């Protein structure tokens, strides 16, 4: 439990640091955009402001997700972290679409830019957002991954501006800026799409991809005194906490003390697989047969 608390604290700390870095740079961008009269920098400042709001919500919901179970949410508040990941991903999709809408017309009708100002802010953008990405790189939750993609999008965007500004200092080819922007945006959208797919799989209580229910049932049967294992359900709260419920059929005359040992063996095997919350229902062969005849059992064929 202490390790879980430390892990949650680190997640909150990382997202908070990323939020503060992003918000600070947004303020710098707004001041710099007004000072240089650069609409390109100001428009990116608006984008980063949206990122800062998104990161702020991620930080808040990550803290909220650490609340203990209560009468209102009996499994706890961990899924608020998943909600934040979904919101962040959708915001990132919206921001990427806006970038594409703005960039594609510029391919057809390139506009003059200010390479010197672009170069200075590109270096600042890479350093500040890069520091935030490094802060988030150890994150394992979907919320942290969504935040990381937010920040990585910014780093890649500023890298594009850096490359573009260097080229434009020597060559008059303004079309290179929107071309690179479209390429990076499509790359980000592809990876965010995979993240959203994973989030929806968890929200719909799909079996986590690293597990096989058939293999788990077979392993429990082979390594314990269970007659059979069936009606197993496996899902995750937010991509990290795994929950399982299963029905274990025991020999007809098995005594209570042996049943207790069997349940402990089942829990031990599942704990080793990273499954923390385990519910076991004990059944006898006749009970199992009756349920099957009534069509009430969820056996897999």
């Amino acid at each position: 439990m202490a390790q879980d608390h430390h892990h949650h604290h680190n997640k909150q700390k990382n997202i908070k640091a990323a939020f503060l870095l992003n918000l600070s740079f947004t303020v710098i961008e707004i001041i710099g955009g007004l000072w240089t009269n650069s609409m390109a920098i100001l428009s990116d400042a608006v984008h980063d402001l949206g990122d800062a709001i998104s990161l702020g919500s991620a930080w808040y919901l990550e803290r909220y997700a650490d609340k203990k179970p209560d009468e209102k949410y009996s499994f706890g508040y961990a899924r608020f972290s998943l909600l934040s990941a979904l919101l962040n991903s959708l915001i990132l999709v919206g921001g990427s679409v806006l970038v594409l809408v703005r960039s594609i017309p510029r391919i057809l009708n390139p506009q003059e830019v200010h390479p010197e100002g672009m170069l200075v802010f590109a270096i600042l953008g890479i350093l500040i957002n890069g520091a935030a990405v490094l802060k988030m790189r150890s994150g394992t939750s979907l919320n942290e991954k969504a935040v990381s993609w937010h920040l990585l999008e910014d780093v890649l965007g500023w890298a594009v501006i850096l490359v573009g500004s260097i080229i434009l200092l020597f060559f008059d080819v303004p079309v290179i800026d929107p071309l690179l922007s479209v390429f990076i945006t499509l790359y980000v959208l592809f990876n965010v799409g995979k993240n959203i797919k994973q989030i929806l799989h968890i929200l719909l209580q799909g079996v986590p991809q690293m597990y096989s229910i058939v293999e788990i049932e077979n392993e429990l049967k082979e390594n314990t005194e269970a007659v059979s294992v069936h009606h197993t359900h496996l899902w995750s709260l937010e991509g990290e906490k795994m929950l399982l419920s299963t029905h274990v059929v025991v020999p007809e005359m098995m005594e209570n003390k042996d049943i207790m040992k069997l349940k402990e063996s089942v829990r031990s095997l599942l704990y080793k697989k990273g499954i923390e919350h385990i519910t076991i229902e004990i059944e006898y062969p006749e009970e199992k047969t009756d349920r099957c005849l009534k069509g009430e059992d969820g056996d897999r064929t």
Side-chain angles (χ1 to χ4, degrees), residues 149-166:
W149 274 110
H150 260 294
L151 297 168
L152 185 58
E153 182 202 32
D154 289 337
V155 172
L156 293 173
W158 283 113
V160 166
I161 293 175
L162 178 64
V163 172
S165 64
I166 292 172

Side-chain angles (χ1 to χ4, degrees), residues 1-17 58-69 75-82 135-136 138-144 236-242 276:
M1 292 299 290
Q3 187 176 1
D4 285 344
H5 178 74
H6 179 69
H7 181 57
H8 280 296
H9 179 71
N10 280 341
K11 285 196 287 186
Q12 295 171 22
K13 189 177 178 181
N14 290 341
I15 296 174
K16 176 185 177 181
W59 176 31
Y60 173 77
L61 287 173
E62 191 65 56
R63 292 174 62 194
Y64 200 70
D66 201 24
K67 292 179 66 177
K68 303 299 180 186
F75 279 111
Y77 290 73
R79 280 207 165 174
F80 280 87
S81 173
L82 194 64
K135 192 73 177 173
M136 295 297 303
S138 61
T140 57
S141 73
L142 288 171
N143 194 20
E144 288 172 296
S236 175
L237 283 179
E238 33 50 300
E240 294 183 297
K241 294 181 179 178
M242 305 299 167
E276 302 174 8

Side-chain angles (χ1 to χ4, degrees), residues 273-284:
K273 293 181 175 292
I275 302 171
E276 302 174 8
H277 188 98
I278 301 162
T279 303
I280 303 168
E281 181 170 333
I282 297 297
E283 293 180 352
Y284 293 96

Side-chain angles (χ1 to χ4, degrees), residues 22 25-26 29 44 47-52 55 92 122 125-126 128-130 133 147-161 184 188:
N22 195 274
F25 186 59
T26 300
E29 275 188 295
D44 198 81
H47 171 74
D48 280 351
L49 180 61
D51 279 353
L55 290 170
L92 192 53
I126 291 171
I128 294 175
N129 287 291
V133 170
V147 168
S148 293
W149 274 110
H150 260 294
L151 297 168
L152 185 58
E153 182 202 32
D154 289 337
V155 172
L156 293 173
W158 283 113
V160 166
I161 293 175
I184 293 298
V188 169

Side-chain angles (χ1 to χ4, degrees), residues 18-229:
F19 164 66
L20 293 175
L21 283 169
N22 195 274
L23 183 62
S24 300
F25 186 59
T26 300
V27 174
I28 294 172
E29 275 188 295
I30 292 172
I31 295 171
L34 293 172
W35 177 54
T36 61
N37 198 32
S38 170
M39 289 304 297
I41 294 173
L42 281 173
S43 62
D44 198 81
V46 172
H47 171 74
D48 280 351
L49 180 61
D51 279 353
I53 294 171
S54 180
L55 290 170
S57 69
W59 176 31
Y60 173 77
L61 287 173
E62 191 65 56
R63 292 174 62 194
Y64 200 70
D66 201 24
K67 292 179 66 177
K68 303 299 180 186
D70 55 26
E71 292 181 358
K72 190 173 182 180
Y73 292 97
S74 60
F75 279 111
Y77 290 73
R79 280 207 165 174
F80 280 87
S81 173
L82 194 64
L83 175 63
S84 174
L86 180 60
L87 290 174
N88 279 310
S89 297
L90 293 176
I91 290 171
L92 192 53
V93 168
S96 297
V97 170
L98 288 176
V99 170
L100 289 175
V101 168
R102 193 179 71 177
S103 298
I104 292 174
R106 286 198 175 192
I107 295 175
L108 304 174
N109 184 28
Q111 298 181 16
E112 290 298 322
V113 293
H114 303 85
E116 294 83 3
M118 289 170 59
L119 181 64
V120 173
F121 276 93
I123 293 171
L124 282 173
I126 291 171
L127 290 175
I128 294 175
N129 287 291
V133 170
L134 289 174
K135 192 73 177 173
M136 295 297 303
R137 67 179 178 177
S138 61
T140 57
S141 73
L142 288 171
N143 194 20
E144 288 172 296
K145 289 178 182 178
V147 168
S148 293
W149 274 110
H150 260 294
L151 297 168
L152 185 58
E153 182 202 32
D154 289 337
V155 172
L156 293 173
W158 283 113
V160 166
I161 293 175
L162 178 64
V163 172
S165 64
I166 292 172
I167 293 173
L168 289 169
L169 284 172
F170 300 98
F171 305 99
D172 187 20
V173 282
V175 72
I176 195 150
D177 177 59
L179 281 174
L180 289 172
S181 295
V182 168
F183 175 76
I184 293 298
T185 301
L186 290 176
Y187 173 73
V188 169
L189 276 175
F190 173 74
N191 285 282
V192 172
K194 290 196 297 183
N195 206 42
I196 290 175
K197 182 180 178 181
Q198 190 177 359
I199 291 168
L200 292 178
H201 182 77
I202 294 171
L203 284 174
L204 294 172
Q205 293 188 314
V207 176
Q209 295 177 355
M210 69 286 291
Y211 295 101
S212 165
I213 286 181
V214 173
E215 289 180 6
I216 288 174
E217 289 181 342
N218 289 337
E219 184 177 344
L220 294 179
K221 182 181 176 182
E222 291 169 4
N223 292 281
T224 67
E225 295 183 47
V227 174
S228 67
V229 181

